[in-house]
Amino acid sequence: MFLNCHYFSPVLQHNTEINVIIPTPEGNEQITAQGTEKRYDYEKGLPVVYLLHGAYGDCSSWIRFSNIERYAQAHNIVAVMASVENSVYQDMVHGNAYFTYIAQEVPDYVKALFPVSRRREDTFIAGFSMGGYGAWYVGLTYPERYAKIAGMSAAMDIASLAEQCGDGRIEGPFPWKDAFADPQHLAGTDKDLFELYKRCVEKGQVPELYQACGTEDFLYQMNVEARERLAGMGAEITYSETPGAMHNWDYWNEEICKILDWMTGIVLL
């Protein structure tokens, strides 16, 4: 079941939309009314994954460019997608409070209206590129809410990304001075994934982590260095590296299926 929901967001103070995929009883490619059976316990609540988009994207990206509806059906999981423009998932200094929107309002809205589990062990978050950073950022900020976090081709080092965009080594649409109070000094702050991971360790609650990148991705070196840095901090990460893969949907479409395998324990052959 695919739902496109338009509603007024109190946090954003304007109308917005989210896309929600809910597994349905008829199963995959059911074309008749014969042999159907209820596969899901809607009253108990289904596992849920929040899927974050990358730069230039919106809540339609996953639906338009991947097979996420089929994957969600096969993995018995609700998938939720929202839009945050090119905000880097921040409560912007000059702009909308997108972090509060994606981390608080959207989950509250989803739990109130749809048959999703409220248990931490059934709640996951994933994203690609800017959304990969966003998934780790939201998940590590609220480790008590998310059991598993996954990032594909993620901007793992936000301080380095801001520096590289600033000097022209990486092109990007990010409004750094609107999104951050001090974009030149993000290392060691609550925007920094390494700092957030350290705080999770100190709190004694660290979600399971998944990091994926292709070897031909322009963020590959950043991901390698981030993995090594986090390993030095004692992090246990499920790491997926695909030779030849680039920063594109050919890669993300295949990798998100592996991620859902990892999240749900349902492995598709």
Side-chain angles (χ1 to χ4, degrees), residues 174-211:
F174 309 114
W176 294 102
K177 292 183 180 179
D178 291 332
F180 301 96
D182 189 0
Q184 295 181 336
H185 299 91
L186 296 176
T189 71
D190 60 3
K191 316 300 182 184
D192 181 356
L193 299 183
F194 307 105
E195 174 65 22
L196 290 174
Y197 174 78
K198 184 178 73 173
R199 296 182 187 185
C200 288
V201 172
E202 293 170 351
K203 188 184 294 187
Q205 192 166 45
V206 182
E208 293 184 50
L209 304 172
Y210 189 109
Q211 183 187 2

Side-chain angles (χ1 to χ4, degrees), residues 21 125 149 151 168 217:
I21 297 167
I125 189 166
I149 305 168
D217 195 303

Side-chain angles (χ1 to χ4, degrees), residues 54-227:
Y56 308 100
D58 60 20
C59 67
S60 73
S61 297
W62 286 95
I63 298 297
R64 292 164 59 209
F65 302 122
S66 80
N67 291 323
I68 190 60
E69 186 170 5
R70 291 177 57 201
Y71 297 156
Q73 177 76 32
H75 286 92
N76 303 355
I77 193 170
V78 173
V80 179
M81 296 141 280
S83 301
V84 302
E85 301 186 34
N86 295 324
S87 65
V88 204
Y89 291 88
Q90 300 300 307
D91 281 347
M92 302 177 75
V93 177
H94 305 291
N96 284 317
Y98 283 116
F99 175 76
T100 299
Y101 169 67
I102 206 75
Q104 297 183 24
E105 181 178 289
V106 170
D108 287 347
Y109 181 81
V110 167
K111 286 184 286 188
L113 293 181
F114 301 108
V116 301
S117 172
R118 295 171 179 266
R119 302 189 305 166
R120 176 182 183 266
E121 54 264 41
D122 293 329
T123 306
F124 316 118
I125 189 166
F128 64 91
S129 195
M130 179 187 78
Y133 164 79
W136 278 57
Y137 176 48
V138 172
L140 293 179
T141 300
Y142 294 114
E144 69 278 6
R145 301 181 188 178
Y146 300 93
K148 296 182 180 182
I149 305 168
M152 304 180 293
S153 306
M156 294 295 295
D157 189 338
I158 195 66
S160 176
L161 182 65
E163 179 183 344
Q164 292 181 61
C165 285
D167 63 22
R169 282 178 285 166
I170 292 179
E171 295 184 4
F174 309 114
W176 294 102
K177 292 183 180 179
D178 291 332
F180 301 96
D182 189 0
Q184 295 181 336
H185 299 91
L186 296 176
T189 71
D190 60 3
K191 316 300 182 184
D192 181 356
L193 299 183
F194 307 105
E195 174 65 22
L196 290 174
Y197 174 78
K198 184 178 73 173
R199 296 182 187 185
C200 288
V201 172
E202 293 170 351
K203 188 184 294 187
Q205 192 166 45
V206 182
E208 293 184 50
L209 304 172
Y210 189 109
Q211 183 187 2
C213 198
T215 60
E216 302 307 307
D217 195 303
F218 74 93
L219 293 176
Y220 172 67
Q221 190 58 39
M222 179 184 290
N223 273 264
V224 170
E225 293 173 359
R227 179 195 181 193

Side-chain angles (χ1 to χ4, degrees), residues 17-40:
E17 62 181 307
I18 64 171
N19 289 327
V20 181
I21 297 167
I22 301 175
T24 49
E26 66 267 28
N28 189 35
E29 298 296 340
Q30 181 70 40
I31 59 173
T32 74
Q34 298 178 0
T36 60
E37 59 184 47
K38 185 175 180 179
R39 300 170 59 199
Y40 313 112

